[in-house]
Amino acid sequence: MHIGVIADTHSKIRPEALDILEGSDLILHAGDVGRDEVLDTLEALAPVVAIRGNIDKTGRAAELPDVQALECLGHAIYMLHDVKTLDFDPQGNYQVVIAGHSHKPRNERVDGVLYFNPGGAGPRRFTLPITVGRLVVTENDVVGEIIELPV
């Protein structure tokens, strides 16, 4: 199963990001969606599970949940916007924690938990790269990949 992961679009949906996400079985948006068109465009590619970020105050994004827990091929995934607000130890309960907010890509396994931040796919923040992510989920593992967009 291929899961596209995107965050911090801030109303900007880049064609380069869509190229990477095309063919995904599922797309996860880790918050700071912005305008409704972002979700509409992503939903044209694959089913979308999204959460609300700190800028999501209007439109469809304002109605999104703050966190989302889901299961893919037996792997429990927990998604929130800012990993600094994670108020429990996911070890033993979740195999993957997905967050956005910082615009800093992260693909790191800590104590058996994959902490994954796809980075920012919208407007550039400081000198950080523009990135999206991909998770390859099998029955045995979840492997993350960060993809820098050529923009």
Side-chain angles (χ1 to χ4, degrees):
M1 175 177 209
H2 289 82
I3 300 175
V5 187
I6 190 167
D8 299 290
T9 48
H10 292 264
S11 298
K12 184 177 185 100
I13 193 74
R14 296 175 182 271
E16 299 89 351
L18 296 175
D19 290 344
I20 299 298
L21 296 173
E22 191 168 355
S24 297
D25 299 304
L26 177 68
I27 297 173
L28 303 179
H29 195 304
D32 282 356
V33 173
R35 292 192 323 256
D36 291 352
E37 293 81 25
V38 171
L39 294 175
D40 295 340
T41 302
L42 294 174
E43 289 169 343
L45 296 177
V48 174
V49 175
I51 57 167
R52 181 175 56 235
N54 56 290
I55 71 148
D56 294 322
K57 311 260 189 240
T58 61
R60 289 177 59 198
E63 304 301 317
L64 294 170
D66 290 325
V67 299
Q68 194 65 262
L70 58 146
E71 188 176 305
C72 294
L73 296 178
H75 300 283
I77 299 171
Y78 189 80
M79 186 167 56
L80 72 167
H81 185 57
D82 184 353
V83 73
K84 291 180 181 176
T85 65
L86 185 65
D87 59 359
F88 66 93
D89 182 358
Q91 186 180 10
N93 295 308
Y94 293 95
Q95 288 76 50
V96 182
V97 172
I98 296 173
H101 188 63
S102 70
H103 295 235
K104 295 178 184 176
R106 182 180 184 192
N107 184 16
E108 178 182 22
R109 206 169 293 273
V110 178
D111 295 327
V113 178
L114 176 61
Y115 287 86
F116 193 80
N117 185 327
R124 186 178 301 277
R125 184 174 185 198
F126 309 116
T127 58
L128 294 171
I130 306 297
T131 55
V132 296
R134 181 181 298 131
L135 297 175
V136 177
V137 183
T138 63
E139 290 180 12
N140 298 322
D141 202 7
V142 179
V143 176
E145 177 185 14
I146 302 293
I147 302 151
E148 186 168 351
L149 302 181
V151 294

